Amino acid sequence: GDSTEVNTEVEVLRSRGLAGKVVDRLNLINDPEFNDALQEPSLIGTTIARIRAILSFGQKPGTALDPELEKNRLKDGVVAALLDRVSVSNIRQSLVFNITVETESPTKSALIANTIAEIYILNQIEVKFEATEKATVWLSNRVSELQIELETAEKKVSDFTAQTQLVSIEGLQALERQIKELRYRIDGAATAQAETETRLDNLKSAATPEKKLEIAQDPTLVRIASGGLDSQGERDSFDARYEAIVARVQAELIRANQQLAALKASETELANQISHQGEDLIALQQLTRESEATRLLYEYFLTRLKETSAQEGIQKADSRLLSNSVV
């Protein structure tokens, strides 16, 4: 400690609060040496009292003091009388203090000096205990609040999980792989649908038998045309077969359109599912992080509470009594 700390402790030893505890401990209020009201009135004091009585004769009596205020004024007077008889000094270049008390009785003086030192040391323990007790109360309240917050946060996580589909990073990744494969199938189906549509347009636009044979690429149609198309029957057979090919390609185009529409609908549904589950996963992760943060705070303050509670019974003063006062 520097000189500031040393001088502070000197003032603590001479403080009215500490002196008041000494007055209560030793019942100095009932000691005539410190309480003037208990002393035998002297001749001068009696004469002054009579003069005051004569001067106040005929005047209205003053308002009586409040009993509590009168009691406090009496104690303050005793404390002031005690401090007038107490001196505290510090031995240079040390943290040692000398307490000296001078009264009418050497034994009383020694008792007061010892009591001041004892209460000073005890006061250090009381201050630490009060600080620890306040910290314990505050930590207890904080732990209770955090426990409620933790239970609320965990309930939010539980309720959210119960009202939504079970989501996880792995499940979301599986859905993303699934939609990727689905889009690959959609690309293939779109290509096949476009090819079928182009072929149908070509079949419908063909005007000559040669063009129809080239586009149709059908063995049966080639066999019919190989015998020549001179007769009406052969031409009717050729046309019927060609119409059947066109109808088949039309049916293939309808199936391709239906398949493509179904795949796109599945893609839309799966994309919505991924979007919703992604949002749910983000919300769940946020709730989980909040719950975990509250849990860490709760565990930290709970540990501090246990440590502080354990310190309540092991407080010790920073000062000690080196020697009792000498009579």
Side-chain angles (χ1 to χ4, degrees):
D2 56 16
S3 59
T4 302
E5 295 180 4
V6 171
N7 292 332
T8 299
E9 294 306 309
V10 171
E11 294 304 317
V12 171
L13 282 163
R14 286 188 47 81
S15 64
R16 296 184 66 84
L18 192 140
K21 293 181 180 180
V22 175
V23 169
D24 293 337
R25 171 80 70 86
L26 300 180
N27 195 21
L28 297 182
I29 289 181
N30 294 325
D31 190 332
E33 183 177 358
F34 297 97
N35 188 351
D36 294 339
L38 301 178
Q39 296 178 1
E40 291 290 337
S42 62
L43 179 60
I44 297 176
T46 302
T47 303
I48 293 175
R50 288 176 179 175
I51 293 173
R52 287 178 176 173
I54 294 172
L55 292 175
S56 62
F57 181 74
Q59 298 179 359
K60 293 182 180 181
T63 304
L65 292 175
D66 180 72
E68 188 67 25
L69 179 59
E70 184 65 27
K71 181 180 177 181
N72 292 336
R73 288 181 61 182
L74 176 61
K75 183 175 179 179
D76 289 341
V78 175
V79 169
L82 172 62
L83 291 176
D84 287 340
R85 294 164 173 79
V86 175
S87 63
V88 180
S89 61
N90 164 246
I91 299 177
R92 293 175 61 83
Q93 304 300 322
S94 77
L95 295 177
V96 179
F97 301 98
N98 282 327
I99 303 174
T100 304
V101 180
E102 295 184 11
T103 66
E104 296 174 352
S105 168
T107 305
K108 185 197 300 184
S109 300
L111 176 61
I112 293 174
N114 288 334
T115 304
I116 290 174
E118 179 183 348
I119 292 179
Y120 170 73
I121 294 173
L122 182 61
N123 181 67
Q124 290 183 342
I125 300 177
E126 290 176 348
V127 169
K128 290 184 176 183
F129 182 81
E130 288 176 2
T132 305
E133 190 174 29
K134 288 180 180 178
T136 301
V137 172
W138 185 86
L139 286 171
S140 298
N141 294 334
R142 187 66 180 131
V143 166
S144 299
E145 293 172 358
L146 287 172
Q147 185 177 6
I148 295 174
E149 292 180 12
L150 177 60
E151 292 173 354
T152 303
E154 290 179 342
K155 189 175 185 303
K156 285 182 180 179
V157 174
S158 177
D159 293 344
F160 186 84
T161 304
Q163 69 185 9
T164 58
Q165 295 182 358
L166 184 62
V167 291
S168 64
I169 296 179
E170 294 77 11
L172 198 58
Q173 290 174 344
L175 289 177
E176 289 174 349
R177 288 194 297 269
Q178 186 176 348
I179 198 173
K180 184 178 180 180
E181 294 173 358
L182 186 59
R183 285 170 178 166
Y184 178 78
R185 289 177 60 191
I186 288 174
D187 291 340
T191 301
Q193 184 263 356
E195 291 175 351
T196 304
E197 188 174 12
T198 301
R199 187 182 182 209
L200 180 62
D201 292 340
N202 292 334
L203 287 172
K204 289 181 177 180
S205 63
T208 63
E210 293 78 9
K211 193 67 175 177
K212 291 179 179 179
L213 286 171
E214 180 185 355
I215 295 173
Q217 295 293 319
D218 181 67
T220 302
L221 193 64
V222 171
R223 181 176 56 79
I224 293 173
S226 63
L229 299 176
D230 299 331
S231 66
Q232 184 64 38
E234 291 173 343
R235 288 195 294 271
D236 291 341
S237 297
F238 182 87
D239 291 340
R241 179 60 184 173
Y242 190 79
E243 291 298 330
I245 294 172
V246 172
R248 187 179 70 235
V249 173
Q250 284 179 332
E252 290 177 359
L253 180 60
I254 292 173
R255 288 196 299 272
N257 289 333
Q258 292 174 344
Q259 183 181 10
L260 182 60
L263 289 174
K264 288 184 176 180
S266 299
E267 180 200 16
T268 301
E269 181 181 357
L270 192 57
N272 291 335
Q273 185 178 357
I274 291 174
S275 176
H276 292 320
Q277 288 208 10
E279 294 174 358
D280 291 343
L281 181 60
I282 292 173
L284 179 60
Q285 289 175 337
Q286 179 66 24
L287 291 174
T288 304
R289 282 194 296 268
E290 292 176 359
S291 176
E292 187 61 26
T294 306
R295 175 180 295 280
L296 292 175
L297 274 176
Y298 171 75
E299 292 176 351
Y300 170 76
F301 279 105
L302 183 61
T303 302
R304 291 297 307 273
L305 175 60
K306 292 179 179 179
E307 293 174 351
T308 306
S309 300
Q311 292 175 359
E312 286 188 0
I314 57 174
Q315 298 290 356
K316 61 181 181 179
D318 297 321
S319 304
R320 67 183 187 276
L321 186 64
L322 295 182
S323 60
N324 291 321
S325 57
V326 178
V327 178

